[in-house]
Amino acid sequence: MTDTGGRLLKVYVHPANEHAKWGGRALLAEMDLSLWPRARKLFVDWGYRGLKETASSLGLELEVVARPYAGVRGVWVPEGAEVPEIPRESGFKPLPKRWVVERTFAWLGRNRRLAKDYEENPGVSEAWVYLGMLRLLVKRLARAA
């Protein structure tokens, strides 16, 4: 979880065989919103759309940022009716708000230890992610001084 500037707020590393929605639920369950009193809204991708109840129980609004055709493979129409056109965009177009987290992943990927994941313990992986963000923020502060 990041803020709108891409700075890391919270990390939860879970096994690859666990759905992202369950990881998001565990992340939100561990949240202490007193640390971020101005947090009001969560921007999530399509995989986290089932977290609306969890977010609302914390007093947060959840907005799913997805392409208009996300998840639509076809539509049922009555016999003889015209089939509607499903709009498809070609090429890469970043979605609003979602690129912020992807940019944070790119920043963290510059750390050699985070380029490949060799850890067996998820807690160790979380610690390395926090250390990678700490390194990035310290470098920015040193540059600004």
Side-chain angles (χ1 to χ4, degrees):
M1 181 178 290
T2 68
D3 63 4
T4 54
R7 291 169 295 275
L8 195 63
L9 300 178
K10 186 82 174 144
V11 174
Y12 177 73
V13 177
H14 58 85
N17 64 350
E18 184 178 296
H19 192 275
K21 178 174 68 174
W22 303 115
R25 188 165 286 149
L27 177 79
L28 289 176
E30 295 176 3
M31 291 272 312
D32 180 11
L33 289 178
S34 65
L35 298 174
W36 304 289
R38 294 178 11 178
R40 298 281 182 263
K41 192 171 199 175
L42 297 173
F43 296 100
V44 298
D45 68 0
W46 190 254
Y48 296 96
R49 67 187 178 278
L51 295 177
K52 287 194 181 207
E53 297 83 25
T54 308
S56 64
S57 70
L58 293 171
L60 298 170
E61 180 186 346
L62 187 117
E63 181 179 330
V64 178
V65 180
R67 299 200 185 282
Y69 57 83
V72 177
R73 295 189 182 115
V75 293
W76 289 99
V77 294
E79 192 172 324
E82 186 176 329
V83 178
E85 182 71 26
I86 298 175
R88 304 279 184 193
E89 295 181 21
S90 62
F92 174 77
K93 293 181 179 68
L95 295 173
K97 306 297 182 195
R98 284 233 328 247
W99 62 268
V100 174
V101 174
E102 299 301 328
R103 180 183 61 187
T104 303
F105 288 153
W107 290 339
L108 291 172
R110 291 182 185 157
N111 293 286
R112 185 170 182 225
R113 184 73 185 233
L114 295 174
K116 302 282 188 258
D117 191 17
Y118 298 113
E119 309 301 334
E120 292 184 22
N121 185 348
V124 175
S125 294
E126 288 179 16
W128 279 110
V129 172
Y130 284 125
L131 284 171
M133 183 53 70
L134 182 65
R135 178 179 175 262
L136 176 73
L137 293 175
V138 168
K139 281 176 66 174
R140 288 182 182 176
L141 284 171
R143 220 176 319 149

